[in-house]
Amino acid sequence: MFYHKKRLQYFTKPEKPDPIYAKQLQELIGGPFGEMSVMMQYLFQGWNCRGPAKYKDMMLDIGTEEIGHIEMLANMIAHLVDKAPADIQEKSALDPIVEGVMGGMKTEDIIMASMNPKHAIVGGGGALPADSVGYPWNGNYIVASGNLMADFFSNVQAEAQGRLQAVRLYEMSTDPGVKDTLSYMIARDTMHQNQWLAAIEELKADGLESLPVPSRFPQSQEKQDASYTFWNLSEGTESQEGRWAKGPAPDGKGEFKYLENPEGQSPMGEAPIPNPKLYSTPKQ
């Protein structure tokens, strides 16, 4: 069961209304790397976990924390929108596109410079389960595969992208309350990136998973001559200078090789003769 406590994990009120920034802040709630995504990702990973209890408990701990982060952002957006004088909301909610285009402005610039009218019309001055351009959040953003190594690498990426976006939004604001709240969320992203990297190391130490994922698939059944060869498939050979082109592979199971002038290893691809009942165009 879940139990809600009314105290926020951390929050500082903004000093002034800013409905345009509220629109931008929606990305941290309902964007592909927003708090709704990591919340659902970690909770489903935890609910589906068949591994040791410490991993399941950890995933449910952090997934539940992310629920609280959504609440923090929802409160921030409510203050940024609801503190705005009514006339500002009314003017901002009007569709400015026709007037702006007639005046020579780019449509994209007008959209970005306008309040999200749904904050007033749909949300009644509150946050929405959507990104910064109003696209609704959807479950296709989340990864919960059941393989903890695959999931934990996905979680590192999600936290890295989320922290990147939070830092960008931090730099876009001059409001001390907004910056203070975001500075806390950025710190939690730092913790969570390190947490998932530590969990990856723990999986290895416990002998549960290793690279490549899935590690229990026998590599004898893959074409091993292709397992550690880097193919140079763009103009120039600068890529051969990288760590991925020489030396031992990170999984400790192979040695990188650089293939400067690769060629296809099979004949030219050719689809079979089409079924006449499908009425595709045949060769003759």
Side-chain angles (χ1 to χ4, degrees):
M1 79 179 177
F2 286 88
Y3 184 88
H4 177 261
K5 290 195 173 186
K6 294 180 177 61
R7 288 188 64 179
L8 298 176
Q9 186 176 12
Y10 188 91
F11 186 74
T12 303
K13 290 182 180 179
E15 290 191 350
K16 59 185 182 299
D18 190 343
I20 295 172
Y21 188 79
K23 174 184 177 180
Q24 298 165 340
L25 200 60
Q26 278 286 157
E27 194 67 27
L28 295 189
I29 290 183
F33 303 107
E35 301 295 335
M36 287 186 68
S37 291
V38 289
M39 172 195 76
M40 296 297 282
Q41 181 154 313
Y42 303 158
L43 289 177
F44 271 93
Q45 288 175 4
W47 291 328
N48 294 341
C49 180
R50 306 297 197 272
K54 63 181 177 180
Y55 293 106
K56 183 181 184 76
D57 191 39
M58 177 266 288
M59 288 184 280
L60 294 177
D61 283 338
I62 183 174
T64 304
E65 179 182 357
E66 302 297 2
I67 301 175
H69 290 181
I70 298 170
E71 186 176 21
M72 290 162 58
L73 290 167
N75 270 265
M76 180 62 72
I77 287 173
H79 283 287
L80 291 168
V81 174
D82 286 347
K83 287 175 64 178
D87 60 327
I88 292 179
Q89 291 192 40
E90 290 167 5
K91 290 176 183 176
S92 297
L94 293 174
D95 186 351
I97 293 180
V98 174
E99 182 180 351
V101 171
M102 293 295 288
M105 291 179 67
K106 291 182 180 178
T107 305
E108 314 89 83
D109 295 338
I110 299 164
I111 293 171
M112 288 304 297
S114 304
M115 172 187 177
N116 183 350
K118 285 192 172 185
H119 276 154
I121 299 167
V122 178
L128 303 164
D131 65 13
S132 55
V133 295
Y135 187 82
W137 183 87
N138 77 81
N140 287 328
Y141 296 153
I142 76 165
V143 174
S145 70
N147 182 291
L148 293 185
M149 183 68 86
D151 286 350
F152 291 176
F153 272 110
S154 177
N155 297 349
V156 172
Q157 184 255 1
E159 291 289 345
Q161 293 288 347
R163 188 174 189 274
L164 175 62
Q165 293 180 359
V167 166
R168 286 171 173 168
L169 279 158
Y170 178 93
E171 298 292 353
M172 291 164 65
S173 177
T174 57
D175 189 294
V178 171
K179 293 178 85 73
D180 187 59
T181 300
L182 287 181
S183 71
Y184 181 84
M185 297 189 71
I186 290 165
R188 294 307 294 163
D189 288 338
T190 297
M191 168 59 198
H192 294 160
Q193 284 186 43
N194 282 284
Q195 171 184 323
W196 293 121
L197 290 168
I200 288 169
E201 293 304 314
E202 188 93 348
L203 281 173
K204 295 177 184 177
D206 288 345
L208 294 173
E209 298 287 351
S210 62
L211 294 176
V213 177
S215 54
R216 287 190 298 278
F217 180 81
Q219 283 194 268
S220 60
Q221 295 184 35
E222 65 182 67
K223 300 291 184 184
Q224 294 182 71
D225 56 344
S227 296
Y228 300 98
T229 303
F230 182 91
W231 283 35
N232 174 41
L233 290 169
S234 62
E235 186 177 5
T237 59
E238 293 85 354
S239 57
Q240 69 181 325
E241 300 168 11
R243 170 70 181 80
W244 50 83
K246 56 185 177 292
D251 63 12
K253 300 174 183 177
E255 194 84 8
F256 284 133
K257 293 183 293 184
Y258 185 83
L259 190 59
E260 184 173 345
N261 298 301
E263 294 286 343
Q265 298 174 347
S266 299
M268 184 181 299
E270 186 172 357
I273 297 171
N275 184 333
K277 292 185 179 180
L278 297 179
Y279 297 96
S280 298
T281 304
K283 267 188 171 182
Q284 298 179 3

